[in-house]
mmCIF file of all heavy atoms in Angstrom:
data_model
loop_
_atom_site.group_PDB
_atom_site.id
_atom_site.type_symbol
_atom_site.label_atom_id
_atom_site.label_comp_id
_atom_site.label_asym_id
_atom_site.label_seq_id
_atom_site.Cartn_x
_atom_site.Cartn_y
_atom_site.Cartn_z
ATOM 1 N N LEU A 27 99.665 99.440 161.067
ATOM 2 C CA LEU A 27 101.101 99.446 160.753
ATOM 3 C C LEU A 27 101.407 100.420 159.632
ATOM 4 O O LEU A 27 102.411 101.133 159.656
ATOM 5 C CB LEU A 27 101.547 98.035 160.351
ATOM 6 C CG LEU A 27 101.986 97.109 161.481
ATOM 7 C CD1 LEU A 27 102.261 95.717 160.930
ATOM 8 C CD2 LEU A 27 103.233 97.648 162.152
ATOM 9 N N ALA A 28 100.515 100.435 158.629
ATOM 10 C CA ALA A 28 100.725 101.347 157.505
ATOM 11 C C ALA A 28 100.710 102.787 157.977
ATOM 12 O O ALA A 28 101.561 103.598 157.588
ATOM 13 C CB ALA A 28 99.649 101.113 156.451
ATOM 14 N N LEU A 29 99.737 103.095 158.834
ATOM 15 C CA LEU A 29 99.664 104.467 159.349
ATOM 16 C C LEU A 29 100.912 104.808 160.149
ATOM 17 O O LEU A 29 101.478 105.893 160.013
ATOM 18 C CB LEU A 29 98.420 104.620 160.224
ATOM 19 C CG LEU A 29 97.097 104.710 159.470
ATOM 20 C CD1 LEU A 29 95.932 104.701 160.451
ATOM 21 C CD2 LEU A 29 97.062 105.961 158.607
ATOM 22 N N LEU A 30 101.344 103.865 160.996
ATOM 23 C CA LEU A 30 102.543 104.112 161.790
ATOM 24 C C LEU A 30 103.771 104.273 160.900
ATOM 25 O O LEU A 30 104.622 105.123 161.136
ATOM 26 C CB LEU A 30 102.761 102.952 162.774
ATOM 27 C CG LEU A 30 101.798 102.903 163.962
ATOM 28 C CD1 LEU A 30 101.998 101.613 164.745
ATOM 29 C CD2 LEU A 30 102.017 104.108 164.872
ATOM 30 N N ALA A 31 103.823 103.418 159.850
ATOM 31 C CA ALA A 31 104.985 103.483 158.959
ATOM 32 C C ALA A 31 105.083 104.839 158.284
ATOM 33 O O ALA A 31 106.163 105.405 158.125
ATOM 34 C CB ALA A 31 104.893 102.367 157.911
ATOM 35 N N VAL A 32 103.917 105.349 157.872
ATOM 36 C CA VAL A 32 103.924 106.627 157.165
ATOM 37 C C VAL A 32 104.133 107.781 158.131
ATOM 38 O O VAL A 32 104.908 108.700 157.876
ATOM 39 C CB VAL A 32 102.608 106.803 156.380
ATOM 40 C CG1 VAL A 32 102.529 108.188 155.776
ATOM 41 C CG2 VAL A 32 102.507 105.738 155.301
ATOM 42 N N ALA A 33 103.422 107.699 159.268
ATOM 43 C CA ALA A 33 103.424 108.840 160.187
ATOM 44 C C ALA A 33 104.697 108.937 161.018
ATOM 45 O O ALA A 33 105.115 110.020 161.407
ATOM 46 C CB ALA A 33 102.213 108.746 161.113
ATOM 47 N N GLY A 34 105.321 107.771 161.280
ATOM 48 C CA GLY A 34 106.427 107.780 162.219
ATOM 49 C C GLY A 34 107.791 107.950 161.591
ATOM 50 O O GLY A 34 108.800 107.815 162.269
ATOM 51 N N CYS A 35 107.830 108.230 160.314
ATOM 52 C CA CYS A 35 109.117 108.238 159.625
ATOM 53 C C CYS A 35 109.581 109.655 159.320
ATOM 54 O O CYS A 35 108.788 110.497 158.908
ATOM 55 C CB CYS A 35 109.015 107.468 158.316
ATOM 56 S SG CYS A 35 108.481 105.787 158.564
ATOM 57 N N ALA A 36 110.849 109.848 159.512
ATOM 58 C CA ALA A 36 111.436 111.119 159.110
ATOM 59 C C ALA A 36 111.574 111.146 157.600
ATOM 60 O O ALA A 36 111.775 110.109 156.975
ATOM 61 C CB ALA A 36 112.809 111.269 159.765
ATOM 62 N N ARG A 37 111.417 112.318 156.995
ATOM 63 C CA ARG A 37 111.571 112.408 155.544
ATOM 64 C C ARG A 37 113.055 112.315 155.200
ATOM 65 O O ARG A 37 113.868 113.060 155.727
ATOM 66 C CB ARG A 37 110.976 113.715 155.032
ATOM 67 C CG ARG A 37 111.051 113.839 153.535
ATOM 68 C CD ARG A 37 110.020 114.799 153.018
ATOM 69 N NE ARG A 37 108.670 114.282 153.204
ATOM 70 C CZ ARG A 37 107.584 114.856 152.707
ATOM 71 N NH1 ARG A 37 107.689 115.959 151.998
ATOM 72 N NH2 ARG A 37 106.400 114.351 152.920
ATOM 73 N N VAL A 38 113.375 111.360 154.321
ATOM 74 C CA VAL A 38 114.772 111.123 153.955
ATOM 75 C C VAL A 38 115.042 111.782 152.607
ATOM 76 O O VAL A 38 114.347 111.530 151.629
ATOM 77 C CB VAL A 38 115.068 109.609 153.886
ATOM 78 C CG1 VAL A 38 116.492 109.356 153.435
ATOM 79 C CG2 VAL A 38 114.813 108.973 155.251
ATOM 80 N N ARG A 39 116.048 112.625 152.555
ATOM 81 C CA ARG A 39 116.352 113.372 151.336
ATOM 82 C C ARG A 39 117.100 112.488 150.338
ATOM 83 O O ARG A 39 117.772 111.532 150.745
ATOM 84 C CB ARG A 39 117.209 114.598 151.682
ATOM 85 C CG ARG A 39 116.563 115.524 152.706
ATOM 86 C CD ARG A 39 115.305 116.159 152.140
ATOM 87 N NE ARG A 39 114.613 116.948 153.134
ATOM 88 C CZ ARG A 39 113.377 117.430 152.974
ATOM 89 N NH1 ARG A 39 112.718 117.175 151.841
ATOM 90 N NH2 ARG A 39 112.808 118.138 153.907
ATOM 91 N N PRO A 40 117.035 112.829 149.050
ATOM 92 C CA PRO A 40 117.709 111.986 148.044
ATOM 93 C C PRO A 40 119.194 111.784 148.327
ATOM 94 O O PRO A 40 119.731 110.695 148.121
ATOM 95 C CB PRO A 40 117.473 112.763 146.745
ATOM 96 C CG PRO A 40 116.177 113.471 146.968
ATOM 97 C CD PRO A 40 116.186 113.853 148.423
ATOM 98 N N TYR A 41 119.884 112.805 148.813
ATOM 99 C CA TYR A 41 121.317 112.664 149.045
ATOM 100 C C TYR A 41 121.633 111.779 150.258
ATOM 101 O O TYR A 41 122.788 111.460 150.509
ATOM 102 C CB TYR A 41 121.967 114.051 149.209
ATOM 103 C CG TYR A 41 121.398 114.877 150.334
ATOM 104 C CD1 TYR A 41 121.806 114.680 151.657
ATOM 105 C CD2 TYR A 41 120.452 115.872 150.092
ATOM 106 C CE1 TYR A 41 121.288 115.428 152.687
ATOM 107 C CE2 TYR A 41 119.921 116.630 151.120
ATOM 108 C CZ TYR A 41 120.340 116.400 152.411
ATOM 109 O OH TYR A 41 119.809 117.150 153.438
ATOM 110 N N GLN A 42 120.579 111.382 150.989
ATOM 111 C CA GLN A 42 120.791 110.507 152.153
ATOM 112 C C GLN A 42 120.507 109.043 151.826
ATOM 113 O O GLN A 42 120.459 108.211 152.724
ATOM 114 C CB GLN A 42 119.850 110.931 153.298
ATOM 115 C CG GLN A 42 120.083 112.326 153.822
ATOM 116 C CD GLN A 42 119.034 112.705 154.859
ATOM 117 O OE1 GLN A 42 117.835 112.698 154.606
ATOM 118 N NE2 GLN A 42 119.496 113.030 156.064
ATOM 119 N N ARG A 43 120.301 108.723 150.541
ATOM 120 C CA ARG A 43 119.764 107.403 150.204
ATOM 121 C C ARG A 43 120.774 106.439 149.597
ATOM 122 O O ARG A 43 120.411 105.505 148.903
ATOM 123 C CB ARG A 43 118.576 107.570 149.253
ATOM 124 C CG ARG A 43 117.462 108.355 149.885
ATOM 125 C CD ARG A 43 116.269 108.536 148.963
ATOM 126 N NE ARG A 43 115.294 109.435 149.570
ATOM 127 C CZ ARG A 43 114.179 109.840 148.994
ATOM 128 N NH1 ARG A 43 113.878 109.396 147.778
ATOM 129 N NH2 ARG A 43 113.367 110.660 149.611
ATOM 130 N N GLY A 44 122.044 106.670 149.857
ATOM 131 C CA GLY A 44 123.060 105.786 149.298
ATOM 132 C C GLY A 44 122.889 104.344 149.748
ATOM 133 O O GLY A 44 122.934 103.405 148.944
ATOM 134 N N ALA A 45 122.644 104.143 151.022
ATOM 135 C CA ALA A 45 122.455 102.773 151.527
ATOM 136 C C ALA A 45 121.169 102.174 150.979
ATOM 137 O O ALA A 45 121.125 100.992 150.617
ATOM 138 C CB ALA A 45 122.425 102.782 153.060
ATOM 139 N N LEU A 46 120.122 102.985 150.889
ATOM 140 C CA LEU A 46 118.840 102.476 150.413
ATOM 141 C C LEU A 46 118.917 102.009 148.963
ATOM 142 O O LEU A 46 118.133 101.162 148.544
ATOM 143 C CB LEU A 46 117.769 103.562 150.546
ATOM 144 C CG LEU A 46 117.459 104.015 151.972
ATOM 145 C CD1 LEU A 46 116.552 105.234 151.940
ATOM 146 C CD2 LEU A 46 116.812 102.884 152.758
ATOM 147 N N ALA A 47 119.842 102.573 148.193
ATOM 148 C CA ALA A 47 119.955 102.210 146.783
ATOM 149 C C ALA A 47 120.804 100.968 146.564
ATOM 150 O O ALA A 47 120.909 100.495 145.426
ATOM 151 C CB ALA A 47 120.552 103.378 145.998
ATOM 152 N N HIS A 48 121.403 100.426 147.630
ATOM 153 C CA HIS A 48 122.241 99.242 147.441
ATOM 154 C C HIS A 48 121.409 98.076 146.942
ATOM 155 O O HIS A 48 120.293 97.835 147.414
ATOM 156 C CB HIS A 48 122.919 98.858 148.764
ATOM 157 C CG HIS A 48 124.070 97.922 148.582
ATOM 158 N ND1 HIS A 48 123.906 96.588 148.306
ATOM 159 C CD2 HIS A 48 125.405 98.141 148.608
ATOM 160 C CE1 HIS A 48 125.084 96.010 148.185
ATOM 161 N NE2 HIS A 48 126.023 96.934 148.359
ATOM 162 N N ARG A 49 121.952 97.322 145.989
ATOM 163 C CA ARG A 49 121.175 96.240 145.352
ATOM 164 C C ARG A 49 120.804 95.134 146.341
ATOM 165 O O ARG A 49 119.817 94.428 146.148
ATOM 166 C CB ARG A 49 121.938 95.657 144.168
ATOM 167 C CG ARG A 49 123.284 95.043 144.516
ATOM 168 C CD ARG A 49 124.052 94.678 143.276
ATOM 169 N NE ARG A 49 125.252 93.924 143.586
ATOM 170 C CZ ARG A 49 126.394 94.443 144.001
ATOM 171 N NH1 ARG A 49 126.492 95.753 144.144
ATOM 172 N NH2 ARG A 49 127.426 93.669 144.269
ATOM 173 N N ALA A 50 121.583 94.973 147.411
ATOM 174 C CA ALA A 50 121.265 93.942 148.395
ATOM 175 C C ALA A 50 120.058 94.323 149.251
ATOM 176 O O ALA A 50 119.518 93.495 149.977
ATOM 177 C CB ALA A 50 122.463 93.665 149.300
ATOM 178 N N LEU A 51 119.645 95.579 149.157
ATOM 179 C CA LEU A 51 118.478 96.022 149.915
ATOM 180 C C LEU A 51 117.226 96.057 149.041
ATOM 181 O O LEU A 51 116.137 96.349 149.523
ATOM 182 C CB LEU A 51 118.744 97.420 150.514
ATOM 183 C CG LEU A 51 118.184 97.729 151.886
ATOM 184 C CD1 LEU A 51 118.489 96.629 152.886
ATOM 185 C CD2 LEU A 51 118.694 99.061 152.382
ATOM 186 N N ALA A 52 117.382 95.756 147.757
ATOM 187 C CA ALA A 52 116.214 95.706 146.870
ATOM 188 C C ALA A 52 115.410 94.448 147.174
ATOM 189 O O ALA A 52 115.900 93.499 147.781
ATOM 190 C CB ALA A 52 116.671 95.710 145.419
ATOM 191 N N HIS A 53 114.165 94.468 146.734
ATOM 192 C CA HIS A 53 113.375 93.241 146.819
ATOM 193 C C HIS A 53 112.782 92.938 145.452
ATOM 194 O O HIS A 53 112.072 93.769 144.907
ATOM 195 C CB HIS A 53 112.256 93.337 147.837
ATOM 196 C CG HIS A 53 111.451 92.066 147.867
ATOM 197 N ND1 HIS A 53 111.855 90.964 148.587
ATOM 198 C CD2 HIS A 53 110.328 91.696 147.214
ATOM 199 C CE1 HIS A 53 110.986 89.986 148.383
ATOM 200 N NE2 HIS A 53 110.055 90.419 147.556
ATOM 201 N N PRO A 54 113.027 91.763 144.882
ATOM 202 C CA PRO A 54 113.941 90.751 145.397
ATOM 203 C C PRO A 54 115.380 91.063 145.004
ATOM 204 O O PRO A 54 115.637 91.508 143.885
ATOM 205 C CB PRO A 54 113.465 89.471 144.709
ATOM 206 C CG PRO A 54 112.875 89.946 143.413
ATOM 207 C CD PRO A 54 112.296 91.302 143.678
ATOM 208 N N ALA A 55 116.307 90.819 145.919
ATOM 209 C CA ALA A 55 117.718 91.081 145.632
ATOM 210 C C ALA A 55 118.302 90.013 144.714
ATOM 211 O O ALA A 55 119.232 90.273 143.967
ATOM 212 C CB ALA A 55 118.511 91.143 146.937
ATOM 213 N N TRP A 56 117.738 88.788 144.790
ATOM 214 C CA TRP A 56 118.138 87.687 143.914
ATOM 215 C C TRP A 56 116.912 87.252 143.118
ATOM 216 O O TRP A 56 116.201 86.324 143.514
ATOM 217 C CB TRP A 56 118.675 86.516 144.725
ATOM 218 C CG TRP A 56 120.116 86.601 145.108
ATOM 219 C CD1 TRP A 56 121.161 86.077 144.416
ATOM 220 C CD2 TRP A 56 120.680 87.217 146.261
ATOM 221 N NE1 TRP A 56 122.342 86.348 145.072
ATOM 222 C CE2 TRP A 56 122.082 87.046 146.205
ATOM 223 C CE3 TRP A 56 120.135 87.923 147.335
ATOM 224 C CZ2 TRP A 56 122.933 87.545 147.182
ATOM 225 C CZ3 TRP A 56 120.988 88.415 148.308
ATOM 226 C CH2 TRP A 56 122.367 88.224 148.224
ATOM 227 N N PRO A 57 116.619 87.916 141.996
ATOM 228 C CA PRO A 57 115.342 87.648 141.300
ATOM 229 C C PRO A 57 115.180 86.204 140.839
ATOM 230 O O PRO A 57 114.097 85.633 140.970
ATOM 231 C CB PRO A 57 115.390 88.608 140.099
ATOM 232 C CG PRO A 57 116.372 89.651 140.475
ATOM 233 C CD PRO A 57 117.373 89.007 141.363
#
Side-chain angles (χ1 to χ4, degrees):
Chain A
L27 272 174
L29 285 174
L30 287 172
V32 173
C35 302
R37 182 157 293 188
V38 177
R39 303 294 175 191
Y41 58 81
Q42 297 175 302
R43 299 180 187 177
L46 296 171
H48 196 285
R49 61 188 188 280
L51 216 48
H53 179 82
W56 276 267

